Amino acid sequence: MGFRTTDINILDADNPVDRDALTYGASLQRKDSTSAAAVWQAYLWDGGIVGMYAIRQDRIKSWSRAGIKDEHTEHVDFNAIDPDTGLLAYDTAGWEPSITTKNSPSWSVVAHLHRLLGPRIYRLPVNISLFYNESQNFQIQGTRYNIYGEPIALPSGTTKDRGILISTKDNRFSLRVNKYESNVLDAPSTSGLNTWYVGNNGDTLFTRGENRADMFEYHLGTLGDPSSADDPSTSWNYDYQPRAGQTQAQANAQRDAAVAGWRALTATPQIQRFLKAFGYSDFGVTQPTTLKTLAGFAMTEDQVSRGYEIEFTANPTKNWRLTFNASKAEATRSNVGGADFAEFVDIVNTALNGPAGDIRLWWGGDTNTLLTDWNSTFYSNYSLMRLQEGTFSPELRKWRFNLITNYNFESGFLKGAWAGIGYRWQDRVAIGYKPLPTDDPSIITFDLANPYYGPKEDAVDFWIGYSRKLTDRVGWRIQLNVRNAFQGDKLIPLTTQPDGSVAAWRIAPSQTWQLTNTFTF
């Protein structure tokens, strides 16, 4: 249509009237936790074996409540009566808390060989210590709910460390190597899926699908307006426009089959549980479908991380200190969303690859359908995530290392001054995957073996400082830190298009400096 002039409505969050239009819902959460811990530590055989056992018990009470948005006025009433409890939505009286009690034990043992074996047997020129650790923990959070509104267990995990420390007799040089493995259950998901598309948003797959199904079934010229039913001037809105090779009767038969397919999907027991949990309300032809938010809705996943940590420390002189550390990390994720979410997605995807997916998204002649919307907004990323489950994630930088050195001047005109420099390096990281064709257009797959990689990254930091006594009781210290020195203006690829070209960039960390003055009394 070319350029044209139109009015734009600006909403102001400071205006109470506009604030209602900007608010989809509200939630209130409360959490109380009580903890008790006991630790036992022992030094055996003259400190040759050092053992530790600890246990912590946590008892957590958590409450959550969703605010109520009036479906007719679109106003969030923070004092509305909850029909299920008869209480004010934000009245905490009478709430039944979710109670969790959890024990978290951990233990470790360290063997100092030079002490354990004694000087008559141990003749090596360096000290060697071996260590092993096992620990359990969990994260205290408010009550979380799955896609069906059922409580999810708190995130919990176990970690194992085993390693060796080698140091010189005077401790001026030391090398520490640690191998670790960490397992986490029900951790907050890092998959980045567009979960707003299925719930906790004003415009989701189910509001779109239900509103369009109402429009096509009841022949509405205007969405949610029953007075516009069967208006010939708006039939383009509720009549399917024939595609190539279709008659009008065939197009409308496809429309009716799509509506029936959608009704069948929303009538399944699992989807009914979902709709009830999220507070979806269908008012037929009287107004569009709306929903309340499910306070505490969360996506979870199970995680496994394993790798190595290496640290070397050297003090070549009493004034010069050098530290080098490196880490190798590999991580996998699985069970994203849990079995219930996988079931939910499978039911929806099966239906949308049938007649329900033919619902045209905005009006009867639109070329977009619920299926294309589902695939582009959610399912393509979900398919990639499922392909990656159980494999080491290339989106995690495999190697990192840091080199830090600092020198203190203790004589001459520079006495009291120090200077240091640090270098940081990170491995490349996957930022996209090439789609692969399949015999079935509804099946999406990706070339996981050959991801598109973002660049390796590095940075330099340096610092200089000076300290002295101003009086017998007053000390002064000044230090200048420059981080990401000589960085300049730069963009770093963040994600790619299917052909490998950059889809999004991020701004590289800029050079920053900080000058601090400290006085001690």
Side-chain angles (χ1 to χ4, degrees):
M1 296 179 63
F3 290 102
R4 59 177 178 166
T5 301
T6 187
D7 293 330
I8 302 296
N9 294 323
I10 304 298
L11 299 180
D12 181 2
D14 291 330
N15 184 325
V17 176
D18 289 351
R19 191 180 304 136
D20 287 337
L22 292 167
T23 304
Y24 288 109
S27 63
L28 179 66
Q29 294 188 349
R30 175 186 170 192
K31 177 178 61 183
D32 291 338
S33 61
T34 303
S35 302
V39 179
W40 172 82
Q41 191 169 31
Y43 295 84
L44 308 174
W45 293 291
D46 196 26
I49 298 290
V50 180
M52 186 275 293
Y53 180 84
I55 187 167
R56 188 185 80 238
Q57 183 181 84
D58 298 275
R59 190 171 186 267
I60 304 100
K61 291 183 177 181
S62 58
W63 299 257
S64 64
R65 175 74 53 83
I68 295 177
K69 184 166 187 174
D70 188 277
E71 293 87 353
H72 299 284
T73 65
E74 292 297 304
H75 172 71
V76 176
D77 188 348
F78 294 96
N79 292 312
I81 297 295
D82 186 328
D84 294 331
T85 65
L87 299 172
L88 295 178
Y90 279 77
D91 183 357
T92 60
W95 281 21
E96 288 296 329
S98 170
I99 301 176
T100 301
T101 301
K102 188 80 173 179
N103 292 328
S104 302
S106 62
W107 65 274
S108 65
V109 60
V110 180
H112 301 292
L113 298 187
H114 56 288
R115 292 184 179 181
L116 183 63
L117 300 179
R120 294 183 179 181
I121 301 175
Y122 189 86
R123 301 301 179 92
L124 296 178
V126 293
N127 294 332
I128 298 178
S129 299
L130 306 175
F131 57 88
Y132 181 86
N133 172 75
E134 285 191 16
S135 60
Q136 299 180 25
N137 209 337
F138 75 102
Q139 185 176 0
I140 299 176
Q141 294 187 347
T143 305
R144 303 180 302 166
Y145 298 97
N146 66 9
I147 196 72
Y148 298 137
E150 299 164 342
I152 301 174
L154 295 174
S156 62
T158 60
T159 299
K160 294 182 180 180
D161 296 275
R162 55 185 68 84
I164 183 171
L165 173 65
I166 303 173
S167 62
T168 57
K169 298 291 186 179
D170 57 7
N171 288 321
R172 288 172 55 191
F173 299 87
S174 66
L175 174 66
R176 178 178 177 273
V177 180
N178 178 49
K179 181 180 180 181
Y180 69 89
E181 179 175 322
S182 180
N183 295 268
V184 183
L185 300 178
D186 299 312
S189 178
T190 60
S191 62
L193 293 175
N194 293 332
T195 53
W196 63 263
Y197 184 65
V198 295
N200 276 9
N201 183 59
D203 185 21
T204 71
L205 169 72
F206 283 87
T207 56
R208 294 176 186 181
E210 187 67 23
N211 289 332
R212 272 70 197 174
D214 285 347
M215 182 173 67
F216 295 133
E217 181 175 0
Y218 300 111
H219 300 179
L220 303 183
T222 301
L223 189 67
D225 181 7
S227 66
S228 67
D230 292 312
D231 182 352
S233 67
T234 59
S235 62
W236 56 271
N237 211 359
Y238 58 78
D239 278 336
Y240 268 23
Q241 306 306 300
R243 300 284 195 241
Q246 277 187 327
T247 65
Q248 183 64 60
Q250 290 172 330
N252 283 342
Q254 183 186 25
R255 175 199 63 187
D256 296 341
V259 170
W262 178 259
R263 301 300 187 207
L265 168 64
T266 57
T268 59
Q270 294 89 340
I271 302 304
Q272 283 290 305
R273 290 165 58 197
F274 158 76
L275 295 174
K276 180 179 179 181
F278 280 79
Y280 279 86
S281 300
D282 181 17
F283 296 91
V285 300
T286 58
Q287 70 174 60
T289 299
T290 59
L291 76 157
K292 296 181 290 187
T293 58
L294 173 59
F297 170 63
M299 283 284 291
T300 63
E301 66 187 32
D302 299 338
Q303 302 168 347
V304 177
S305 301
R306 58 174 64 98
Y308 291 89
E309 298 169 330
I310 304 169
E311 184 172 58
F312 173 73
T313 302
N315 297 278
T317 69
K318 68 176 183 177
N319 302 332
W320 181 23
R321 182 177 179 87
L322 178 70
T323 300
F324 171 83
N325 60 64
S327 64
K328 177 187 177 183
E330 295 177 317
T332 64
R333 72 165 67 98
S334 61
N335 196 31
V336 176
D340 291 325
F341 190 76
E343 175 190 56
F344 169 84
V345 172
D346 184 61
I347 291 172
V348 174
N349 188 62
T350 300
L352 294 184
N353 278 279
D358 289 331
I359 288 184
R360 298 183 184 178
L361 196 55
W362 303 113
W363 53 288
D366 192 10
T367 57
N368 296 307
T369 65
L370 277 186
L371 178 60
T372 59
D373 189 51
W374 164 257
N375 283 335
S376 62
T377 307
F378 176 82
Y379 197 73
S380 60
N381 289 332
Y382 180 81
S383 297
L384 175 59
M385 178 274 298
R386 291 300 299 268
L387 289 171
Q388 291 176 314
E389 281 192 318
T391 64
F392 289 121
S393 172
E395 290 93 354
L396 176 69
R397 298 182 187 273
K398 190 172 184 178
W399 282 99
R400 301 171 185 261
F401 72 76
N402 304 284
L403 178 64
I404 302 170
T405 184
N406 190 83
Y407 189 85
N408 292 296
F409 298 90
E410 295 188 355
S411 61
F413 73 96
L414 290 177
K415 182 179 179 180
W418 63 86
I421 188 170
Y423 177 73
R424 294 175 281 121
W425 180 90
Q426 301 180 86
D427 206 352
R428 65 181 184 172
V429 60
I431 58 175
Y433 297 88
K434 180 180 179 180
L436 295 177
T438 65
D439 295 334
D440 185 347
S442 66
I443 298 177
I444 304 170
T445 188
F446 298 86
D447 186 0
L448 298 184
N450 300 287
Y452 299 123
Y453 283 102
K456 301 172 183 177
E457 297 182 40
D458 62 355
V460 175
D461 309 321
F462 68 83
W463 55 93
I464 55 174
Y466 177 74
S467 67
R468 58 169 294 178
K469 280 282 190 181
L470 298 180
T471 68
D472 289 341
R473 294 188 176 183
V474 179
W476 172 53
R477 173 188 173 98
I478 185 172
Q479 180 165 314
L480 172 67
N481 288 75
V482 179
R483 187 170 176 83
N484 303 312
F486 323 116
Q487 188 69 264
D489 297 330
K490 186 168 63 173
L491 294 175
I492 299 174
L494 184 62
T495 59
T496 67
Q497 303 283 5
D499 63 357
S501 59
V502 177
W505 305 80
R506 65 179 172 90
I507 301 174
S510 59
Q511 176 179 296
T512 60
W513 60 271
Q514 182 181 36
L515 182 65
T516 57
N517 272 287
T518 305
F519 295 92
T520 57
F521 302 90

